[in-house]
Amino acid sequence: MTSIAARDTLTAGAEALIGSLSAIHPKGYDLSLDRIVRVLDRLGNPQRRIPPAIHVAGTNGKGSTIAFCRAMLEAAGKVVHVHTSPHLVRWHERFRIGRKGGGVLVDDADLERAIARVAEANGGEPITIFEILTAAMFLLFAEHPADYCAVEVGLGGRFDATNVIDGPLVAVITSIALDHQLQLGDTVEKIAFEKAGIIKPGRPVVIGPQSEPVADLLAGIAAERAAPAMIGGRDFTFFEQAGRLVYQDDRGLIDLPLPRLRGRHQLANAATAIAAMRHAGIDIADDAIETAMTTVSWPGRMERLKPGRLAELAPAGAEIWIDGGHNPAAAMVIATELAELEERSPMPVVLVAGMLTTKDPAGFFSPFAGLAERVIAVPIRDSDSGHDPVTLARFAEEAGLAAATAASVAEALAAIAGSRGDGPVRVLITGSLYLLGEVLADNATVPE
């Protein structure tokens, strides 16, 4: 982990440039391909020169699935670029440049140059920050040699800026649930249709475990586009047995260690990534897949907060966990993991939560009723679209939870310490990846 002071020194150039562009161009989403197509054309269409792409869409599990893909490819000695979003602490986390022996976050000078080239090509015309960064990603990936690249969709799929990849090596669609309803539709089926926009004619697609109606819908779209589909629960299966992950498809069975990433949902993400490798025709030996299960890393997903200046505010006997889940389906997964932790090591659970106003707080809090002792609602400091703590606490109470408010995560942890002394308590900080970014920054550590 890198100190905040070192981070600020190393990333001042690109961060400053993104900040100046953010003052001109909106940070949100404006779903259309017209602007990204225009600027990429002026840049010589670098998206056509990137390494063979694994293109990943979905509601939950996109980043984890990409992390498994990266871990397997690197364990097999491959060089792989990775694009994910959003970042937790610094913009550079979105761009991992492949190297022999393991990729590294993009160098600040390289990122600054790429963004400056995009801004110059755009010439001040309307464009979003996400589109600028997506175009920069294509420049970086086209100009740094690699064997493969893994590209995460930002929002939806059909009109996402990344969806100018015409012929992906494989498209992957992870778990789909209700989220971003204003942009994508008010039913899971409507959202699935938007995600299916990354399925390209004649190109392989892997569909992670879904509800039967969603799996049928996606399978039908794949068939219409003559895209060979491999579907979780039909063409590949997985289960836990004797503390091991067992994966099976028509090529046979693989007996693997449980993934390093916590939670039963990570079994599905791991299996989806394995299916993606196989369906794409990427030859990875079983021992490399085994290595990947034990080396995979994806910060901010059911992760223990490392020692730091923020963690020091909690009671001495506390466990502090962080997870960026922010929709009801993610909350169900987190609550299941908390229940398993409770079964192994019982202790009171307190949620410290901050959420954006575009999310569903009542649906998010419901799975924690009867599991969490209380919720402490906090603001999201670096966002002007977060729920105020009083409103968020009211949603928690309506979901059957005792609730209080605090002005910050630091104040919430201090309040927990003040009310409990040094007794054992399990604290989960959750509700938004933006909130987790604040936590990691305030704790004086950043992801690498």
Side-chain angles (χ1 to χ4, degrees):
M1 305 294 279
T2 305
S3 72
I4 294 298
R7 181 278 308 259
D8 290 342
T9 299
L10 290 170
T11 64
E15 296 273 2
L17 180 55
I18 293 170
S20 65
L21 291 170
S22 296
I24 303 170
H25 303 292
K27 289 184 180 179
Y29 294 94
D30 184 359
L31 297 182
S32 165
L33 295 180
D34 295 341
R35 294 174 300 277
I36 189 73
V37 167
R38 179 195 73 226
V39 75
L40 287 172
D41 186 60
R42 293 174 182 174
L43 290 165
N45 290 304
Q47 78 279 11
R48 297 175 186 169
R49 304 191 304 275
I50 63 174
I54 301 158
H55 197 194
V56 183
T59 304
N60 295 313
K62 298 189 298 295
S64 296
T65 299
I66 283 181
F68 281 113
C69 288
R70 173 195 157 207
M72 284 187 282
L73 289 166
E74 290 185 344
K78 305 298 183 183
V79 175
V80 54
H81 300 325
V82 176
H83 167 265
T84 55
S85 67
H87 59 282
L88 292 177
V89 178
R90 49 180 177 155
W91 295 92
H92 298 62
E93 297 165 36
R94 299 179 180 225
F95 313 93
R96 183 171 292 274
I97 304 301
R99 297 282 189 273
K100 275 291 184 184
V104 296
L105 297 188
V106 64
D107 174 82
D108 186 66
D110 282 348
L111 181 57
E112 184 180 9
R113 281 192 293 268
I115 294 172
R117 288 168 63 189
V118 174
E120 182 180 5
N122 185 61
E125 295 186 49
I127 196 167
T128 67
I129 286 296
F130 182 75
E131 288 163 339
I132 290 173
L133 294 173
T134 300
M137 176 267 294
F138 285 126
L139 279 176
L140 291 166
F141 287 7
E143 295 174 1
H144 289 79
D147 298 306
Y148 302 98
C149 66
V151 177
E152 180 183 352
V153 165
L155 179 64
R158 186 162 62 115
F159 293 120
D160 185 75
T162 66
N163 202 29
V164 293
I165 301 173
D166 292 329
L169 187 64
V170 62
V172 181
I173 300 178
T174 64
S175 172
I176 294 176
L178 289 174
D179 201 4
H180 296 292
Q181 289 98 312
L182 289 176
Q183 294 90 354
L184 303 179
D186 57 2
T187 69
V188 174
E189 289 76 15
K190 289 178 181 178
I191 293 171
F193 175 79
E194 295 298 326
K195 308 287 186 184
I198 71 167
I199 300 175
K200 298 301 193 300
R203 303 306 302 158
V205 57
V206 169
I207 297 167
Q210 310 284 349
S211 66
E212 284 299 309
V214 169
D216 288 341
L217 173 65
L218 295 174
I221 293 172
E224 290 171 3
R225 298 175 190 172
M230 192 171 180
I231 303 172
R234 302 180 186 181
D235 303 306
F236 68 94
T237 59
F238 60 93
F239 54 91
E240 181 180 348
Q241 184 176 66
R244 303 277 290 179
L245 167 61
V246 179
Y247 170 92
Q248 188 168 14
D249 60 22
D250 60 3
R251 290 173 53 179
L253 178 148
I254 314 176
D255 180 27
L256 299 163
L258 290 178
R260 182 177 175 222
L261 302 184
R262 296 188 63 94
R264 293 185 181 276
H265 60 295
Q266 296 296 359
L267 305 186
N269 295 330
T272 300
I274 295 168
M277 296 296 99
R278 292 187 160 202
H279 201 39
I282 303 173
D283 187 20
I284 297 182
D286 289 359
D287 61 349
I289 298 176
E290 182 165 347
T291 297
M293 295 302 110
T294 61
T295 59
V296 62
S297 174
W298 188 226
R301 279 69 177 180
M302 209 56 197
E303 179 184 27
R304 287 286 292 269
L305 184 65
K306 293 177 173 59
R309 60 193 183 200
L310 189 62
E312 290 173 356
L313 299 173
E319 289 181 9
I320 306 178
W321 295 82
I322 56 175
D323 192 289
H326 48 262
N327 56 51
M332 287 290 294
V333 168
I334 301 167
T336 298
E337 184 65 13
L338 279 178
E340 291 186 1
L341 288 171
E342 172 69 12
E343 188 173 329
R344 292 196 294 269
S345 175
M347 64 179 70
V349 175
V350 178
L351 264 59
V352 177
M355 297 189 75
L356 298 180
T357 56
T358 54
K359 305 304 176 182
D360 174 13
F364 183 84
F365 287 128
S366 291
F368 298 103
L371 179 62
E373 179 184 83
R374 58 179 167 142
V375 173
I376 302 179
V378 297
I380 298 177
R381 183 176 62 218
D382 296 329
S383 174
D384 55 6
S385 57
H387 276 292
D388 72 86
V390 173
T391 301
L392 196 58
R394 188 178 306 121
F395 278 114
E397 289 172 342
E398 290 173 0
L401 290 151
T405 65
S408 66
V409 173
E411 185 177 296
L413 292 175
I416 294 169
S419 64
R420 292 199 156 275
D422 287 335
V425 61
R426 185 168 287 126
V427 179
L428 173 67
I429 304 171
T430 190
S432 171
L433 287 168
Y434 297 99
L435 181 67
L436 261 58
E438 291 179 19
V439 168
L440 292 173
D442 290 348
N443 204 46
T445 54
V446 297
E448 292 185 346

